Amino acid sequence: MLKKTLFLLCFLYSCLIFGQNNYYLEGKLGKSSIYLSIEVYDSEENSVNARYFYQNSLKDIVLEGTRVKGKFILFFKDYSTDKIIEKFELTSLQNKTFKGFWSNATGKKTAIELQPIDFSKIKANPIVKTEDSPMNKVKLQFLNFKKDSASVHFGKKIDWYSEKHCKMSFFRLSDNFSLTTRKKINPMLNTIQVEEVLSQLECSTRFAYSEGSGIDYSVKIGFLNKDLLGFEMFRAWDCGGAHPDFGGQGYLIDLNTGKNFDLDQIIAFDKSVTSDKDNNFSAYSEYRTKYFAPKLFELINESQHFKKPENSEEDGCDYTDLEIWNFVSWNFTKDGIEFTPYFYRAARNCEEPFLIPFDSLKKYKNPTFPYTF
């Protein structure tokens, strides 16, 4: 995730929380507590986007709508029948409250009053910054994790936790790890799961109600010893928009310090190596293009013997194209590191992992990486 400049952070914060064109509201719909956000776009059509969720489900319901002066019409539509399933008719009042009605396709109509969310009363949590996602700060209060299973990896017990509002399971270190290690590592694992759960709950589309399963997760623990924990999280998501997508992300965590290593902090094909892509993307990109991709391709090709497809337009799986090796995903395993090249969207089916054994990587270990392969 790219870092924002201080100016942009301040600008977004003022717009999201205090800006005239964005509203973050809470209230009751019947007996249920709901939270509603409205984004207003200054245009001739006066169109608005909105999302709301029930406190007891936390899953976003995506609304469309219009605004005429202080009057808002927000609705969820069944596009197969062009029938409006539910609708908010709200008027913005001078005291910043909204009053009006919610109705559904069966004819039920309920009066509703919404007030601005007082974010100062919500307990601060470093996992979610208000300026990034105000509504996630609300959801964070209501997440509920429970242990649902256990497994053994490399002779060590792992506990798995699920969150009641969505389908996303993730692990923690169990009681046969030292208390010191658990206190250092499990909060990191908890943060990863919280971020993924919030993404899952946001994963909604205006074409269907969310079931809390729009992102399909799989987690593979590939390496574990007294010093290091390596695992890969694979995600396949369909959250609306033109195209679903998928991708993997590797993690290598130092069990002694809690450091999560970037790939370039593990492997260095040249002394110009840098993992500081947020602050110096030019140097990062130059290293990846000039040194990383050519050497990585060379090492993998020693066993794969790739050949350029005769018709690259029909067969997009051209593994001889060095550009696909610039920004790979990776997975640290007991046998070596798996590298998965990145293809353009239409050729994503070409993506598969290729293993380079540790023996072939030893000479390229980053000197700052504190452990042997």
Side-chain angles (χ1 to χ4, degrees), residues 262-313:
D262 186 278
L263 177 60
D264 295 304
Q265 295 169 331
I266 305 168
I267 298 295
F269 291 135
D270 183 76
K271 63 182 180 181
S272 65
V273 64
T274 175
S275 61
D276 191 14
K277 52 183 172 290
D278 289 336
N279 293 320
N280 194 347
F281 185 77
S282 177
Y284 170 76
S285 181
E286 182 179 1
Y287 163 75
R288 282 297 184 108
T289 302
K290 189 175 180 179
Y291 298 103
F292 180 88
K295 178 54 70 173
L296 183 64
F297 171 77
E298 177 187 322
L299 292 171
I300 293 175
N301 200 39
E302 287 176 359
S303 61
Q304 297 298 320
H305 308 294
F306 295 122
K307 293 183 179 180
K308 191 174 184 64
E310 293 182 4
N311 189 335
S312 59
E313 292 184 1

Side-chain angles (χ1 to χ4, degrees), residues 70-229:
K71 296 186 181 296
F72 294 76
I73 304 294
L74 311 172
F75 59 87
F76 183 89
K77 180 188 289 189
D78 180 350
Y79 277 87
S80 64
T81 63
D82 207 37
K83 184 177 182 179
I84 291 179
I85 304 302
E86 59 175 295
K87 179 170 65 174
F88 290 85
E89 300 172 80
L90 301 171
T91 300
S92 174
L93 305 178
Q94 289 185 346
N95 63 357
K96 299 182 180 180
T97 63
F98 282 65
K99 283 189 176 182
F101 295 91
W102 172 91
S103 59
N104 64 15
T106 66
K108 182 178 179 179
K109 191 171 186 178
T110 303
I112 187 170
E113 180 174 344
L114 303 169
Q115 301 82 31
I117 298 171
D118 186 352
F119 288 100
S120 68
K121 293 183 178 180
I122 298 176
K123 185 178 179 180
N125 191 307
I127 296 176
V128 175
K129 296 180 175 61
T130 305
E131 62 268 23
D132 290 341
S133 182
M135 300 306 270
N136 276 348
K137 188 176 181 183
V138 176
K139 289 180 184 177
L140 195 60
Q141 305 173 94
F142 307 116
L143 298 187
N144 188 342
F145 295 94
K146 67 175 182 179
K147 178 182 172 182
D148 55 27
S149 63
S151 59
V152 176
H153 298 263
F154 302 93
K156 302 290 281 186
K157 186 179 175 185
I158 298 294
D159 294 329
W160 293 85
Y161 287 78
S162 59
E163 203 285 321
K164 67 174 289 186
H165 301 94
C166 66
K167 299 176 183 177
M168 196 275 158
S169 184
F170 197 62
F171 69 94
R172 309 287 190 277
L173 306 184
S174 193
D175 53 13
N176 59 352
F177 290 83
S178 72
L179 180 60
T180 299
T181 299
R182 280 181 283 146
K183 284 184 175 181
K184 189 179 297 292
I185 304 304
N186 280 346
M188 295 179 61
L189 300 176
N190 177 72
T191 295
I192 292 171
Q193 185 170 19
V194 167
E195 290 173 343
E196 298 299 335
V197 163
L198 292 174
S199 295
Q200 181 74 279
L201 295 171
E202 283 185 309
C203 180
S204 301
T205 168
R206 62 190 176 96
F207 300 106
Y209 286 113
S210 170
E211 295 182 357
S213 57
I215 306 175
D216 186 21
Y217 294 95
S218 62
V219 180
K220 182 168 61 176
I221 300 173
F223 189 93
L224 180 59
N225 65 13
K226 65 182 180 63
D227 297 312
L228 295 168
L229 165 66

